[in-house]
Amino acid sequence: MDSKLTALLLAAVLGAGCLPPSVIQYTDTTMNPPPRPLVAKAPADVELFTSGAPARPHVDVALLWVDSLVDRSIGELLTQLRVEGAKKGCDAVVVTNMQIVGYDRGANARIAIATCIAYTTAT
């Protein structure tokens, strides 16, 4: 989903007042088949990268997207990316984009996008 469409959807939901302010929404889109079956794991076992993908051989498995209609901290969104990545069985998540989208009524939405990766080699 592109950022303009997301901003429009967030504005529509915000204007309608139909989403509780504490909700962090999550979406994922599969990109490539994983190199092996992925199984859910503990969030602490999912590596988090913010300055680029690791050098270790891997496959980009899915695009993960979390957003909130309230001023959630960056840390909360990163934690949620790690939680969602763990549910999918990702070995790591690589943050690719973070945005704060402002609206004319003074509300902000925070958006974080990451890639779920699966390593192709054993540790």
Side-chain angles (χ1 to χ4, degrees):
M1 186 179 310
D2 70 28
S3 60
K4 288 181 183 179
L5 179 56
T6 299
L8 287 172
L9 288 173
L10 288 172
V13 170
L14 185 62
C18 55
L19 190 65
S22 62
V23 172
I24 294 180
Q25 298 183 92
Y26 166 73
T27 305
D28 74 55
T29 302
T30 301
M31 298 187 310
N32 297 300
R36 65 188 184 301
L38 300 181
V39 293
K41 58 181 73 177
D45 294 334
V46 176
E47 295 179 282
L48 177 68
F49 295 94
T50 58
S51 60
R56 185 173 171 186
H58 63 272
V59 173
D60 293 350
V61 175
L63 189 64
L64 310 178
W65 178 295
V66 295
D67 58 59
S68 174
L69 294 177
V70 295
D71 285 336
R72 293 294 197 162
S73 72
I74 290 172
E76 287 175 290
L77 292 179
L78 292 176
T79 296
Q80 192 64 37
L81 283 171
R82 185 176 259 162
V83 165
E84 299 302 338
K87 289 177 188 176
K88 281 193 78 65
C90 306
D91 292 319
V93 292
V94 181
V95 178
T96 58
N97 194 354
M98 296 197 80
Q99 298 178 38
I100 298 174
V101 180
Y103 296 99
D104 62 355
R105 295 183 186 173
N108 291 320
R110 293 183 184 241
I111 301 165
I113 303 169
T115 301
C116 162
I117 64 172
Y119 294 126
T120 58
T121 59
T123 53

